[in-house]
Amino acid sequence: AAETSAKTATQTKKQKSNVESYPVKKYRPSSSSFRTIDAFQRYTKTHRMTDSAFTAVQPSGRGATPSSPIVFSIVINGQCLSWGRGKNKDVAIDNACRAAFALVAAHGYEYDLNEDCLTSEP
């Protein structure tokens, strides 16, 4: 029985390690047109949120729509703050950043929201 639980724990760790995740401070979008991502990186640096990450939502496809098949969340201190979906990874992360700014009501960080900016778990 102990051997079986050890195998299960190892499999769980492997599954978690396969989750697509990027530290906020190191993430670089494919183009410079994502001002919201850049602003969120500055915001997390200023407020010393060093453990923040952009993480793909699991199970894959949860919260997705046909027009926005990719879903990412912003995870800070192990807790999901906001979610965003989009046609690619950068758009999904950008939408998650917009939702996060809407939630924290950060002064000077007002960005337009759309139906792909999610402030509650999909």
Side-chain angles (χ1 to χ4, degrees):
E3 191 175 306
T4 305
S5 64
K7 285 181 181 179
T8 305
T10 304
Q11 288 172 345
T12 303
K13 286 180 184 177
K14 285 181 181 177
Q15 287 172 351
K16 287 184 180 181
S17 67
N18 290 336
V19 174
E20 190 175 1
S21 185
Y22 306 94
V24 168
K25 65 183 179 181
K26 293 184 178 184
Y27 184 76
R28 299 293 174 261
S30 59
S31 75
S32 60
S33 65
F34 295 101
R35 294 180 326 121
T36 312
I37 295 173
D38 184 51
F40 191 75
Q41 288 171 323
R42 287 193 313 273
Y43 183 84
T44 56
K45 182 177 181 181
T46 301
H47 294 280
R48 298 182 180 171
M49 299 177 195
T50 56
D51 65 340
S52 56
F54 301 126
T55 305
V57 171
Q58 295 299 313
S60 182
R62 187 181 81 191
T65 63
S67 61
S68 301
I70 309 295
V71 184
F72 268 80
S73 66
I74 293 176
V75 179
I76 298 175
N77 197 26
Q79 301 292 316
C80 291
L81 172 65
S82 64
W83 299 262
R85 56 184 169 217
K87 61 182 179 239
N88 63 46
K89 176 177 57 180
D90 288 339
V91 173
I93 290 172
D94 184 72
N95 285 330
C97 290
R98 290 171 186 271
F101 281 133
L103 282 172
V104 299
H107 180 70
Y109 294 98
E110 289 85 21
Y111 294 97
D112 293 331
L113 296 178
N114 59 45
E115 66 277 357
D116 292 327
C117 300
L118 308 170
T119 56
S120 59
E121 189 171 358

